[in-house]
Amino acid sequence: MPEVLKAPLVVEFPFTRSLGPVQSAFLTGLRERVVFGVRTGDGRVLVPPVEYDPVTSEELSELVEVAATGTVTTWAWNHEPRRGQPLDRPFAWVLVRLDGADTALLHALDAPGGPDSVHTGMRVRVRWAAERSGGITDLACFEPHDDGISELTGSDGRFEDLVTGIVVPARLDYTYSPGRAQTAYIQALAERRVVGERCPSCRKVYVPPRGACPTCGVATSERVEVGPRGTVTTYCIVNIKAKNLDIEVPYVYAHIALDGADLALHGRIGGIPYDQVRMGLRVEPVWADGGGHPDHYRPTGEPDADYETYKELV
Amino acid sequence: MQRPAPRSAPGPLRDIAVVAFAQTDHRRTSDELSEVEMLMPVLHQVLAQTGLKTSDIGFTCSGSTDYLAGRAFSFTMALDGVGAWPPISESHVEMDGAWALYEAWTKLLTGDADTALVYAYGKSSPGSIRDVLTRQLDPYYVAPLWPDSVALAALQAQALIDAGDTDEPALAAVATRSRTAATDNSHAQLRGSVPRGEYAVRPLRTGDCPPIGDGAAAVILAAGERARELCERPAWIRGIDHRIEAHGLGVRDLTDSPSTRLAAERAGLFERPVDTAELHAPFSSQEVVLRKALRLGDGVDVNPSGGALAANPVMAAGLIRIGEAADRIRRGHSDRALAHATSGPCLQQNLVAVLEGDPR
Ligand SMILES: [Zn+2]
C-alpha cells in the first residue's frame, strides 16, 4: 500500500467577542491599571468578575476595586513555555487571590529565582504590560512582592471609552492525513485517473471514496476506476462571481455521474454556452496542469444519455 | 453554598442496560486511517456481539470534537460508518461519548426506541492536544493565556499536595498501579512499567499524565426484555447523572469535586457499596480527588482496565469507562460497578453511572 498522504493544516481564527457590562469594566480597568471584582449577594468579591453568580446564578453588577497585590493559592512550574503563553522563559502558573478578593485569578508568575522561590501563600503583585488595550494580557504577569498591600486608585469603574469587545486570535497546527481511501483517490487524480471504491455488500461504487459505504456502514476496499466520461445528472447556472475566482459568469456547475460510479460528483461545465447545458449531456474531464481535480468537464459530442440510465443518481 | 437536599435516586421508568462494548487498540498515531476507517471495526464488533444490524438500531448518538481534526462538522464523515442511509434517528454531542450515552439513555427512557448505538472517537495525533484543549477554556480571561491541559492539572495537583491529600510518591503509585493493571488490557497504550519521567509541569511528571493517542469505542444499550434477548448478563444502568461546576478555576476548591459527589448521589451510588470503579482520571492527581468525592474505600477495585493513565483517546475515554465497567458485569467479575467520565479542565464536568448485574 502506498504511504498515506500528509500535509500541514493550519487553522487560524480571530474570535471577535462582545463583552457584558461587568467584563467590559474589568478589561477597561486593566487598560487603566485598576483591578475590579464584582460583589455577590452574600458579600463575596469575585475576581475575575463574572456577570452571574456561579452558585445562585443571580445577575451581578456591583463593581469593587481590589488591590494589585495578592497571595498565591496554588502554582505549577512551567519550565517549557508554549506558544501564546504569557512569558517565553520558565515561569509559574499561579492562581492569585488579590487583596480584597475572595476568589483567585489565573495568570503567570515571573519568578527569576526558579521553582524553589515559589510557594503557596507567597505574596505577589501585578506587573502591567507596557502597552494595554483592554484584555487579560494587559496584566503582563505577576511578580514576587514583599511590601504589603498596594493602595487602591479609588476608581469607580466609570471610564470613558469603554472596551466593549475583544478580538482573540487563535492558531492551531495540525498534520492532516486523509486516510487510506482518500489517499488512493488523490494519488490517482495526479495520474489523471478517477478511482472509486465498491461496497462489498450493495456493490455500489462510491467516488470520491471515503473508506465506508454510507448505506451499508461497511468498509469499502475494492478499488474501481470510473469515467473518464460521464453524464450531467443535474446542474445550476451561477450568476454571482465569487471572490478570487477568475471564471466568467454565468457558468454552469453540475452533478456528473462518471461512467461506472453510483454517486455523482461536482464539476464545472465548459466548452458549451451555459444555456445549452442539459440533463443527460455527455461530458469528459479537461485536466488542469499540475494534478488535482479536473479543471472542468466539456461535451464529448455523444448523443445525450437516456434518462433511465441516470435517474437513480439525480 | 445552596445545595438541594440529598434524596435517593428515583427509579427509572424502564430498565436500560449496556449489552455490548468494543474499543480499538489505542495508539500514539493512526494516520493511515481516517476517523471513519478507525471507527468502523468497533461498530461492527458491537453489532456482531448482539446480532443486530444497523437497520435494527432505534437511536444512534456519538461524541467527538472538531478541534481534534481541525475541521468543521467532522462527525458527519464518521456517520458513513453506521450506514446513515436510509435516514436514521441520530444525534451528536461535542463531548465525550459518555454524554452521548446519557442522551441515548434518555431517549430509551422515553420509550421512543428499544436499542441505541453509542460511539465516540478521537484522533489526537494530527494536532497538539495540550494546545487544542486550551480552546475549551473561558475565552475572555483564560484562553488568551494558553494554559495547557497539563498546566491546569498541575495547579490542581499542587493544591492537593498543599492540602496534605497526596504527595509525589503517592501520585507515582497511582500511575504505577494503573499501568500494572493495564497489563491485562490488550487495548491499552501504556502498560506495565512506565518511568515516572521528568516534570512535565511541576509537580506533575510525564508518568502522571495520560498517553496521547487515537482510538474509538462503541456501546449498545437496550431496554427491558430486549436487553435480556441480546445479552446473557446485561449491565443494568441503575442510575446516571452529570453535573458541572463554575468555570472559573479560582472560584472552585480544586481539591474537591462536589459535582462528582452530587452526580453520584443522584445516580444512587451511596445506597449500596460497589465492587468496581472505572474512573476517568487522566492525571494521577485526579484519582485522588475522585476517590475522596466518591468515598471509595480500599475494598473497591479501582480502574482494573488501567484507566485513562493507560489509554486516553480524547472524547472516547469516558465512554470506555462505562464500557469497561459494563464488561466486568457481563463477564461476571462484578455485581455493582461505578463508571465515571469527566470533561473540561481539572474535573470541571462529571458524569457518574451505577451499573448492576442481575442477582446471582
Ligand atoms: Zn453498501
Side-chain angles (χ1 to χ4, degrees):
Chain A
M1 191 178 85
E3 212 165 285
V4 290
L5 294 171
K6 284 185 196 176
L9 170 69
V10 178
V11 178
E12 273 186 291
F13 45 96
F15 256 131
T16 304
R17 295 185 173 271
S18 53
L19 302 173
V22 170
Q23 294 168 315
S24 172
F26 175 67
L27 293 180
T28 309
L30 295 186
R31 190 189 67 197
E32 306 301 326
R33 301 186 186 218
V34 194
V35 186
F36 287 102
V38 70
R39 197 185 304 279
T40 65
D42 62 2
R44 298 187 315 142
V45 175
L46 307 182
V47 179
V50 290
E51 318 218 290
Y52 294 90
D53 188 305
V55 179
T56 64
S57 64
E58 167 197 14
E59 189 170 352
L60 304 175
S61 61
E62 187 190 340
L63 298 173
V64 184
E65 187 188 350
V66 298
T69 49
T71 303
V72 170
T73 63
T74 186
W75 63 284
W77 187 256
N78 188 28
H79 64 91
E80 272 177 333
R82 302 170 75 82
R83 184 173 69 201
Q85 294 183 343
L87 294 166
D88 57 11
R89 55 186 174 274
F91 67 90
W93 288 107
V94 280
L95 280 167
V96 174
R97 190 165 56 233
L98 292 170
D99 298 318
D102 293 290
T103 60
L105 171 83
L106 177 76
H107 221 295
L109 169 67
D110 189 9
D116 294 335
S117 71
V118 183
H119 60 274
T120 296
M122 80 182 282
R123 297 283 298 159
V124 296
R125 74 168 170 219
V126 169
R127 179 190 296 165
W128 297 105
E131 284 180 28
R132 299 175 309 282
S133 57
I136 191 67
T137 47
D138 287 356
L139 197 170
C141 62
F142 285 97
E143 59 193 22
H145 170 77
D146 288 320
D147 295 333
I149 299 174
S150 72
E151 283 189 21
L152 302 183
T153 67
S155 168
D156 60 3
R158 283 188 212 114
F159 300 103
E160 281 176 36
D161 184 22
L162 276 175
V163 176
T164 56
I166 54 172
V167 179
V168 190
R171 174 188 168 129
L172 294 169
D173 284 75
Y174 300 89
T175 303
Y176 179 70
S177 168
R180 176 197 58 78
Q182 294 186 80
T183 288
Y185 173 72
I186 293 165
Q187 281 170 338
L189 283 181
E191 298 165 12
R192 302 192 166 188
R193 295 183 302 119
V194 181
V195 296
E197 283 184 351
R198 190 188 307 278
C199 172
S201 174
C202 67
R203 310 297 297 160
K204 284 193 169 158
V205 173
Y206 289 95
V207 57
R210 297 213 296 253
C213 172
T215 305
C216 306
V218 299
T220 55
S221 58
E222 185 193 335
R223 207 152 291 159
V224 180
E225 188 155 341
V226 298
R229 293 185 166 190
T231 301
V232 172
T233 63
T234 185
Y235 64 93
C236 65
I237 299 165
V238 180
N239 284 293
I240 296 169
K241 200 168 163 64
K243 210 173 162 184
N244 305 324
L245 191 68
D246 56 0
I247 299 170
E248 288 306 312
V249 290
Y251 66 88
V252 173
Y253 193 68
H255 276 189
I256 299 153
L258 294 180
D259 294 346
D262 291 292
L263 195 71
L265 43 70
H266 318 271
R268 181 169 65 88
I269 306 296
I272 181 174
Y274 72 93
D275 55 0
Q276 289 177 31
V277 175
R278 55 204 180 264
M279 289 171 74
L281 181 70
R282 294 285 294 158
V283 292
E284 64 188 2
V286 177
W287 295 91
D289 290 334
H293 283 92
D295 176 70
H296 64 276
Y297 291 79
R298 67 179 172 212
T300 63
E302 294 166 275
D304 284 3
D306 187 34
Y307 181 64
E308 290 298 314
T309 63
Y310 64 87
K311 69 174 183 185
E312 297 294 331
L313 297 172
V314 175
Chain B
M1 193 199 271
Q2 280 183 10
R3 277 259 235 96
R7 61 178 175 81
S8 59
L13 307 168
R14 304 173 87 189
D15 289 331
I16 293 161
V18 176
V19 297
F21 167 58
Q23 60 183 314
T24 55
D25 292 345
H26 308 294
R27 295 184 294 155
R28 180 63 188 87
T29 64
S30 59
D31 54 12
E32 76 284 7
L33 301 173
S34 66
E35 280 89 346
V36 66
E37 288 166 339
M38 179 178 74
L39 176 64
M40 235 176 335
V42 298
L43 296 171
H44 297 162
Q45 283 167 38
V46 286
L47 291 166
Q49 282 173 34
T50 54
L52 292 170
K53 296 189 295 293
T54 11
S55 53
D56 300 326
I57 297 289
F59 182 62
T60 300
C61 198
S62 60
S64 68
T65 175
D66 284 347
Y67 277 85
L68 289 179
R71 277 175 304 138
F73 293 100
S74 56
F75 79 94
T76 58
M77 304 286 272
L79 265 178
D80 286 350
V82 296
W85 183 265
I88 60 171
S89 172
E90 182 270 338
S91 184
H92 173 259
V93 296
E94 189 79 6
M95 286 284 280
D96 187 288
W99 276 263
L101 183 140
Y102 184 90
E103 182 175 335
W105 175 78
T106 311
K107 181 81 171 179
L108 263 53
L109 277 188
T110 66
D112 275 359
D114 291 332
T115 52
L117 171 63
V118 180
Y119 63 87
Y121 62 93
K123 282 182 67 167
S124 297
S125 60
S128 164
I129 190 70
R130 284 173 68 174
D131 301 322
V132 165
L133 290 178
T134 63
R135 301 301 92 191
Q136 69 182 341
L137 302 170
D138 162 24
Y140 302 97
Y141 302 157
V142 182
L145 306 175
W146 294 83
D148 59 280
S149 47
V150 179
L152 296 174
L155 285 167
Q156 185 172 34
Q158 185 63 44
L160 287 162
I161 291 170
D162 288 336
D165 287 353
T166 192
D167 54 25
E168 290 191 35
L171 295 179
V174 169
T176 300
R177 198 211 67 244
S178 299
R179 286 160 187 153
T180 305
T183 8
D184 294 332
N185 177 355
S186 61
H187 302 289
Q189 189 178 336
L190 280 189
R191 287 184 277 168
S193 174
V194 173
R196 287 179 72 187
E198 300 295 316
Y199 284 120
V201 178
R202 183 170 163 179
L204 292 180
R205 294 172 182 272
T206 52
D208 293 305
C209 303
I212 297 169
D214 300 353
V219 157
I220 290 179
L221 298 181
E225 279 312 301
R226 198 81 181 94
R228 288 203 170 79
E229 288 163 24
L230 296 172
C231 174
E232 208 161 302
R233 192 168 198 251
W236 300 106
I237 300 173
R238 293 302 181 208
I240 182 169
D241 197 283
H242 63 94
R243 300 284 157 164
I244 183 170
E245 326 207 341
H247 69 227
L249 285 172
V251 174
R252 295 164 48 188
D253 170 4
L254 295 179
T255 68
D256 195 9
S257 183
S259 58
T260 300
R261 192 178 306 111
L262 183 57
E265 204 169 273
R266 294 302 176 89
L269 175 71
F270 302 125
E271 290 164 18
R272 273 197 314 289
V274 290
D275 52 43
T276 304
E278 278 287 340
L279 305 180
H280 186 192
F283 296 92
S284 58
S285 42
Q286 295 179 341
E287 185 180 302
V288 177
V289 179
L290 292 171
R291 276 179 181 267
K292 185 164 80 169
L294 294 165
R295 300 176 206 148
L296 297 179
D298 290 341
V300 181
D301 195 353
V302 174
N303 286 345
S305 68
L309 283 163
N312 189 40
V314 172
M315 297 293 136
L319 181 64
I320 290 170
R321 304 282 73 75
I322 299 175
E324 290 280 8
D327 261 7
R328 299 268 296 174
I329 287 170
R330 293 197 302 136
R331 289 196 300 261
H333 298 158
S334 167
D335 291 318
R336 183 170 155 93
L338 144 72
H340 160 268
T342 195
S343 183
C346 303
L347 303 171
Q348 188 189 2
Q349 303 170 55
N350 295 284
L351 178 147
V352 174
V354 177
L355 306 170
E356 281 182 0
D358 285 324
R360 291 186 283 194

